[in-house]
DNA sequence: TTATACATAGAAAGCGCTTGCTGTACGGCT
DNA sequence: AGCCGTACAGCAAGCGCTTTCTATGTATAA
């Protein structure tokens, strides 16, 4: 029913081996023969059987990309950049590779399951994006899995994620701590002394690092933090909205709200507006990531730009072996403070 | 080096056939034997070889999702919804399936290439999202490809895309024309008579349908359209910014700008603000899609909500055969007008 | 007790491709 | 003329799994 290599071989009057070599182009075939084969391929509408090739050659052209939430541009941008570099159609590289984008939803077990699935497919490479989950058992399981993947020849690259020692994985880590520090430094420089902080989910490295940066800035300026000033939530708009209301209830005198990311910041802005406060006159708001929409907020968000596309592209190239891994297998990617309208001096300064 | 089925069989003291049956669970195996096998699997850290399974069983657990731009939430939301339904880890369905998200970048040839790649992998199903490209040659090529996929047993679902007759593909089509019509009706109802329109790229069905809806509304109200009032651009913010400036240059008396989608609308808002106009006092702005950030624009965008997540989920279920296809293989998904602050009455009404 | 059905496990034949090795023909060299 | 190197092309052995068919042991019926 389906046409196979042998059918093509028969029609072109050559052996299956020759057809295979024409299609893979890694062995000399006389021009005339090649023509005949290509013609037969075309006439029969032949399409190689991927699984069979993969089995015989013990390689695959699948590349896995793990993301927390594909609907979030933060991940979409990185995934797109990775994909553009791994050499899928339209990419710069040669062989055609298929990107497998896996949506973990931030769930530990799904992260692991997807990795197994990718291992099962004998993926050529895997890129993991986003922060890691801070759970000892899970981290051990992940490390074991990554090690096994590496052993099986799958290149593993972490993009925007802390290093995973002894796994053979290359890490491109975002300097969340530094960015958080710089952002809060800026606010303090403007005169703020009472700053609310809307953190992400508790058990994530990204959350912790950004918060640590924030606190480091406070400490450096001798500002004693009030425990009521920190609220944890999810990395989305709604969470930002609710958290801001909570923050305001706890301490209505806050002059600034620092959000875990831009989506949260947008929610914060909405909450502030809905409660009759003006930004930045009454309360300043800061985000993180600098996603495309952040500049369209009114006022535009002051935030820390993370070079998501660049980092993703680099991760893709490293995964494909087209760029050397950084020394030590670890590189830190810094963010850049984007000063815009959503942060100003507090009243009376 | 790598552990195979045979290794597991040897350790569990059973035949490879039995191990396979335990792992696939589609043949009676005595409980005691199953235990032994599972134990061996665990001890050896065995992971099935996907390509080999696929080859032997002539089936695969890959599902392809074609999107124009993975970094755009419009597609991200649909892709995420499809994925949540196809039964990957964490999904509702049983067998574990891998979603392959393919970024076509809107390029015709990449669309085709990805389809071939998916065909090569013997994908279980393919979901194509986003508008189709209006080029006769390309459409014929696509139709042929889709037909061949269907023949090979791959289920094909179009999500937010016009039907592809005679291909066996199920289509969940967005009512872009109706939505566009309703939106412009609304603006006219507010008193607008001079409306600029920022359309998407020329050769896309989505662009054409939305524009047709807009024009139908104008015609229905006896408003003669000025050719200068329509500008084509891309589906992004920057394009919206530039197009708005162009529109304003052509006719500074416009009282409303209708954008091809929300991103374009955001760009339009920025351009209007930068040129010193207030929204909606001086000029009203309308978008399309109702992406999450649209409500955070200031003023919030009046737009047409497309149920992206619902449509994607349904497409996913149909692709998995878990929901019946609509009668005739075609269903129209309607948008909903969201009236918000970015549209108001024009001056002097 | 013997015949018969049933439950379970194994043997073996592929699935469609890749690739190391083995021809074979031809041209150039001595 | 004889030899050898080169350039192709083919043979055939798998790659690791699934699945049909067959074998064996056990329970039930006659």
């Amino acid at each position: 029913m389906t046409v196979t290599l042998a059918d093509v071989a028969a029609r072109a009057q050559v052996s299956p081996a020759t057809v295979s070599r024409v299609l893979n182009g890694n062995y000399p075939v006389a021009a005339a023969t090649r023509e005949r084969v290509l013609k037969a391929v075309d006439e029969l509408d032949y399409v190689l059987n991927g699984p069979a090739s993969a089995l015989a050659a013990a390689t695959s052209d699948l590349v896995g990309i793990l993301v927390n939430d594909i609907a979030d541009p933060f991940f979409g941008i990185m995934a797109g950049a990775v994909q553009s570099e791994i050499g899928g159609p339209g990419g710069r590289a040669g062989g055609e590779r298929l990107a497998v984008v896996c949506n973990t939803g931030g769930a530990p077990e799904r992260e692991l399951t997807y990795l197994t699935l990718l291992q099962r497919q004998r993926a050529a490479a895997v890129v993991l994006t986003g922060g890691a989950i801070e759970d000892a058992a899970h981290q051990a399981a992940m490390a074991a899995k990554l090690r096994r993947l590496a052993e099986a020849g799958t290149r593993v690259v972490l993009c925007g994620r802390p290093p995973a020692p002894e796994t053979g994985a290359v890490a491109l880590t975002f300097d969340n701590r530094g960015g958080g520090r710089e952002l809060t430094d800026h606010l303090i420089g403007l005169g703020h002394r009472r700053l609310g902080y809307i953190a992400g989910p508790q058990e994530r490295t990204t959350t912790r690092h950004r918060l640590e940066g924030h606190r480091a800035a406070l400490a450096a300026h001798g500002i004693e933090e009030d425990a009521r000033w920190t609220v944890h939530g999810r990395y989305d708009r709604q969470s930002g909205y609710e958290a801001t209301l909570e923050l305001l209830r706890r301490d209505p005198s806050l002059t600034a709200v620092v959000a875990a990311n831009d989506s949260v910041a947008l929610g914060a802005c909405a909450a502030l507006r809905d409660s009759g406060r003006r930004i930045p006159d009454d309360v300043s708001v800061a985000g993180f990531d600098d996603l495309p929409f952040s500049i369209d907020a009114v006022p535009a968000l002051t935030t820390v730009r993370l070079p998501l596309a660049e980092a993703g592209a680099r991760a893709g190239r490293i995964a494909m072996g087209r760029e050397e891994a950084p020394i030590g297998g670890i590189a830190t990617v810094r963010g850049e403070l984007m000063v815009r309208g959503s942060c100003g001096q507090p009243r009376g300064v």
Side-chain angles (χ1 to χ4, degrees), chain A:
Chain A
M1 200 206 101
T2 58
V3 19
T4 71
L5 237 213
D7 299 330
V8 177
R11 180 170 253 262
Q13 315 221 57
V14 296
S15 72
T18 301
V19 177
S20 170
R21 300 204 255 245
V22 168
L23 262 21
N24 291 295
N26 47 16
Y27 191 89
V29 173
T33 314
R34 158 179 291 110
E35 286 305 301
R36 258 203 342 275
V37 170
L38 257 20
K39 184 152 162 285
V41 166
D42 208 54
E43 289 168 351
L44 294 177
D45 247 328
Y46 174 67
V47 173
L48 213 54
N49 182 316
S53 303
L55 174 57
T59 62
S60 127
D61 44 13
L62 254 42
V63 174
I65 305 174
L66 261 65
V67 301
N68 276 357
D69 180 6
I70 190 68
D72 183 338
F74 177 83
F75 293 101
I77 291 170
M78 279 196 286
V82 172
Q83 189 172 36
S84 73
E85 292 289 344
I86 63 168
R92 315 205 201 333
E96 280 165 352
R97 239 146 268 137
L98 252 185
V100 178
V101 178
C102 306
N103 218 240
T104 66
E109 69 281 6
R110 290 178 64 182
E111 208 166 67
L112 243 13
T113 312
Y114 270 125
L115 248 21
T116 301
L117 240 36
L118 256 8
Q119 184 184 356
R120 171 178 305 182
Q121 298 297 335
R122 306 299 189 248
V126 173
V127 176
L128 292 95
T129 66
I133 294 155
E134 303 206 295
D135 173 85
H138 179 247
Q139 289 196 327
M142 284 292 284
K145 195 100 223 159
L146 294 182
R147 209 174 304 123
R148 217 154 312 119
L149 275 166
E151 277 164 14
T154 297
R155 219 155 338 195
V156 180
V157 181
L158 308 174
C159 182
R161 198 178 249 253
E166 329 241 316
T167 59
V170 172
L172 263 33
T173 306
F174 290 140
D175 180 21
N176 285 307
R177 203 181 273 109
R181 164 81 196 247
E182 205 178 339
L183 187 59
T184 298
D185 270 342
H186 170 66
L187 282 162
I188 295 173
L190 286 171
H192 294 275
R193 290 296 175 272
R194 292 189 305 285
L195 303 90
Y197 191 91
I198 308 176
Q202 290 271 181
E203 70 292 353
R204 318 209 66 106
T205 51
T206 309
T207 298
R208 183 164 59 78
H209 293 158
R210 291 181 184 178
L211 184 50
E212 283 174 4
H214 171 71
R215 290 187 169 153
L218 293 181
H221 292 271
I223 299 175
E224 199 169 330
E225 206 199 357
D226 188 319
R228 301 173 305 155
W229 293 351
T230 301
V231 176
H232 280 270
R234 300 179 310 280
Y235 277 120
D236 61 31
R237 176 185 189 276
Q238 163 140 27
S239 182
Y241 189 94
E242 291 160 4
T244 302
L245 260 22
E246 170 68 18
L247 239 24
L248 255 26
R249 190 156 1 98
R250 293 186 186 176
D251 184 350
S253 74
L254 290 174
T255 64
V257 171
V258 182
N261 74 7
D262 289 348
S263 295
V264 172
L266 247 38
C269 289
L272 289 168
R273 263 195 307 276
D274 289 357
S275 66
R277 280 164 239 238
R278 280 173 312 163
I279 304 164
D281 313 71
D282 298 320
V283 179
S284 289
V285 175
F288 210 110
D289 293 345
D290 194 25
L291 296 185
F293 57 72
S294 305
I295 199 167
D296 283 309
V298 179
L301 274 183
T302 286
T303 184
V304 175
R305 161 170 293 175
L306 250 24
L308 300 174
E310 292 81 345
R314 186 167 173 209
R317 287 193 300 272
I318 294 174
M320 290 298 94
R322 291 196 292 115
E323 176 174 325
E324 215 154 329
I327 39 177
I330 298 177
T332 299
V333 177
R334 313 192 65 80
E336 184 193 353
L337 179 65
M338 306 300 286
V339 175
R340 295 203 275 246
S342 70
C343 292
Q345 298 189 342
R347 289 201 176 293
V349 173

